[in-house]
């Protein structure tokens, strides 16, 4: 997790610098907002923003940056946030260390102790592993054909043969097991396949078959498991929460980690991805309803479509070509697979 913590500066800065084009007079405060708040360990910017604002992703619009304070875009436990007004518009000021005043200060606190935008721990397992694979990618991927030393299955420290790897780079491969397809609920199109993460391997010798060693495993590998090239890129966590500029009309099609009841901080899968214009940091509203019901008053064959109702918000944190992963940031009622997601209307 250290490489994630090292990028928290980007998380905070990205949030506070976005939405510069929005007018401050469009900012709506939370009716029950406090006048001041002292930051504590475990807070996130989204949670604190929700205390003060109706729309927490608009935090930068009321943030007062004092150039005399070192790292004014970072907020730490112990800092005090004070809500004031300038020309009739709300402004949030920070008092470093709860001192009650704004002043220059050399801070000894490590930068990675600044509070994050969202709870990084909730999404960390889903940031880098190849959880979605496309059908043509599976067809071309190497696969396990035999374990050495008469092993039936493989775990960490077990060598195996795979077909076919002809290149020496990359030397690291993720072992995945293709699971259920992700289907578009409206068109039936297969958007990709869920990839169950099994473990990691190190290439020892190219060929057909190639020889590899399992270096770590979450579960036992079996014959037929596929190998996906691993990259060494650090996970993206410097999100800039914002509303998509293009229309998005999507659905929740799955929930990860075997959860059946969807609520705050659950990770869900959307049927829209990079090809639809979604990017990490995009905030979407969750809507329920839209069902067609019978109108018994008008008689046989008559029906009416129910309106969509607000149910919560989510933020996209990882995109694939046709699907995305998103973290549920708030829910005012139980959420379900097939709920709608669209850009916020306010």
């Amino acid at each position: 997790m250290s490489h994630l913590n090292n990028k928290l500066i980007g998380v905070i800065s990205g949030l506070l610098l976005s939405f510069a084009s929005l007018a401050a007079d469009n900012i709506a405060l939370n009716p029950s907002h406090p006048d001041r708040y002292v930051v504590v360990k475990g807070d996130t910017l989204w949670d604190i923003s929700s205390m003060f604002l109706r729309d927490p992703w608009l935090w930068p619009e009321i943030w007062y940056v004092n150039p005399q304070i070192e790292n004014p875009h970072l907020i730490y436990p112990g800092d005090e946030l004070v809500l004031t007004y300038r020309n009739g518009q709300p402004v949030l000021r920070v008092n470093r260390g709860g001192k009650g005043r704004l002043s220059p200060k050399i801070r000894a606190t490590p930068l990675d102790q600044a509070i994050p935008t969202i709870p990084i721990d909730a999404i960390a397992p889903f940031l880098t592993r190849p959880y979605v694979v496309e059908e043509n990618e599976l067809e071309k991927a190497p696969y396990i054909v035999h374990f050495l030393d008469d092993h039936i299955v493989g775990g960490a420290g077990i060598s195996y043969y795979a077909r076919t790897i002809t290149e020496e780079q990359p030397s690291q491969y993720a072992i995945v097991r293709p699971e259920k397809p992700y289907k578009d609920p409206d068109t039936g199109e297969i958007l990709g396949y869920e990839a169950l993460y099994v473990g990691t391997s190190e290439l020892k010798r190219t060929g057909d078959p190639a020889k590899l060693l399992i270096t770590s495993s979450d579960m036992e590998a079996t014959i037929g498991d596929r190998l996906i090239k691993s990259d060494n890129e650090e996970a993206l966590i410097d999100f800039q929460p914002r509303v998509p500029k293009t229309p998005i009309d999507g659905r929740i099609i799955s929930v990860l980690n075997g959860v059946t009841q969807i609520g705050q901080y659950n990770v869900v899968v959307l049927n829209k991805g990079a090809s639809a214009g979604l990017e990490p940091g995009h905030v979407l509203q969750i809507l329920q309803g839209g069902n067609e019901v019978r109108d018994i008053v008008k008689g046989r064959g008559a029906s009416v479509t129910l309106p969509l109702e607000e149910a919560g918000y989510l933020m996209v944190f990882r995109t694939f070509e046709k699907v995305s992963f998103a973290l549920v940031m708030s829910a005012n009622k139980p959420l379900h697979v097939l709920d709608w997601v669209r850009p916020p209307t306010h």
Side-chain angles (χ1 to χ4, degrees):
M1 292 295 295
S2 61
H3 69 284
L4 298 179
N5 291 333
N6 289 339
K7 298 188 72 176
L8 285 177
I9 300 173
V11 176
I12 311 301
S13 299
L15 176 66
L16 297 174
L17 292 175
S18 59
F19 301 111
S21 61
L22 296 177
D25 56 5
N26 291 329
I27 301 300
L29 293 175
N30 182 335
S32 59
H33 68 81
D35 292 327
R36 59 186 64 229
Y37 177 75
V38 177
V39 180
V40 299
K41 186 177 181 179
D43 278 341
T44 66
L45 279 177
W46 185 285
D47 291 338
I48 294 175
S49 302
S50 299
M51 297 180 191
F52 289 96
L53 300 176
R54 180 192 66 187
D55 304 325
W57 58 90
L58 297 182
W59 168 278
E61 294 306 308
I62 68 170
W63 179 248
Y64 176 78
V65 176
N66 188 326
Q68 292 180 311
I69 296 181
E70 185 180 21
N71 301 318
H73 295 304
L74 301 178
I75 303 175
Y76 297 86
D79 288 347
E80 181 185 46
L81 303 177
V82 181
L83 181 65
T84 59
Y85 291 85
R86 179 191 297 170
N87 298 324
Q89 301 303 325
V91 174
L92 269 177
R93 294 174 179 265
V94 62
N95 295 330
R96 280 288 183 251
K99 300 281 187 181
R101 63 189 180 88
L102 294 170
S103 60
K105 183 178 181 180
I106 297 176
R107 194 179 190 96
T109 306
L111 295 180
D112 62 7
Q113 290 186 16
I115 64 171
T117 309
I118 61 176
I120 300 300
D121 289 347
I123 64 173
F126 308 102
L127 289 172
T128 58
R129 294 178 176 179
Y131 276 95
V132 177
V133 290
E134 298 181 10
E135 186 172 14
N136 59 352
E137 185 179 8
L138 285 176
E139 293 174 353
K140 299 176 182 178
Y143 55 90
I144 298 174
V145 293
H146 181 75
F147 295 100
L148 275 67
D149 301 324
D150 298 323
H151 288 283
I152 300 175
V153 295
I158 302 299
S159 296
Y160 65 89
Y161 293 122
R163 303 192 65 182
T164 304
I165 301 176
T166 59
E167 299 177 351
E168 294 184 356
Q169 294 297 330
S171 62
Q172 303 295 321
Y173 286 82
I175 308 171
V176 300
R177 187 169 302 151
E179 294 285 305
K180 65 182 180 182
Y182 288 128
K183 290 185 177 181
D184 188 286
D186 300 315
T187 66
E189 176 190 1
I190 294 179
L191 307 173
Y193 288 83
E194 179 182 4
L196 182 64
Y197 179 80
V198 176
T200 57
S201 294
E202 182 179 354
L203 179 65
K204 294 299 183 180
R205 186 175 65 241
T206 61
D208 184 17
K211 184 178 180 181
L212 298 96
L213 172 70
I214 301 176
T215 53
S216 66
S217 60
D218 285 5
M219 62 185 69
E220 291 181 323
T222 61
I223 291 175
D225 285 346
R226 306 288 173 144
L227 307 180
I228 303 296
K229 297 177 181 179
S230 295
D231 57 53
N232 296 320
E233 294 183 5
E234 290 189 345
L236 172 66
I237 64 167
D238 53 342
F239 307 111
Q240 297 181 20
R242 62 201 185 280
V243 175
K245 295 181 180 179
T246 57
I248 300 291
D249 194 13
R251 308 282 284 275
I252 295 174
I253 59 173
S254 185
V255 56
L256 299 181
N257 269 358
V259 177
T260 55
Q261 297 292 324
I262 306 175
Q264 186 182 39
Y265 300 151
N266 285 146
V267 176
V268 297
V269 183
L270 310 181
N271 68 331
K272 301 293 181 181
S275 61
L278 276 183
E279 300 174 356
H282 277 164
V283 175
L284 298 172
Q285 187 175 41
I286 306 169
L287 302 161
Q288 294 180 342
N291 302 326
E292 188 174 304
V293 298
R294 293 174 55 195
D295 185 342
I296 60 174
V297 174
K298 286 196 173 182
R300 185 175 180 180
S303 64
V304 60
T305 301
L306 302 179
L308 295 175
E309 301 288 346
E310 297 181 9
Y313 292 91
L314 55 75
M315 192 188 79
V316 174
F317 66 85
R318 188 177 180 187
T319 59
F320 301 88
E321 183 64 18
K322 295 183 179 180
V323 300
S324 298
F325 289 174
L327 183 68
V328 175
M329 300 307 304
S330 63
N332 54 41
K333 58 183 68 176
L335 306 177
H336 310 93
V337 171
L338 298 185
D339 283 348
W340 298 88
V341 292
R342 294 174 179 173
T345 56
H346 52 67

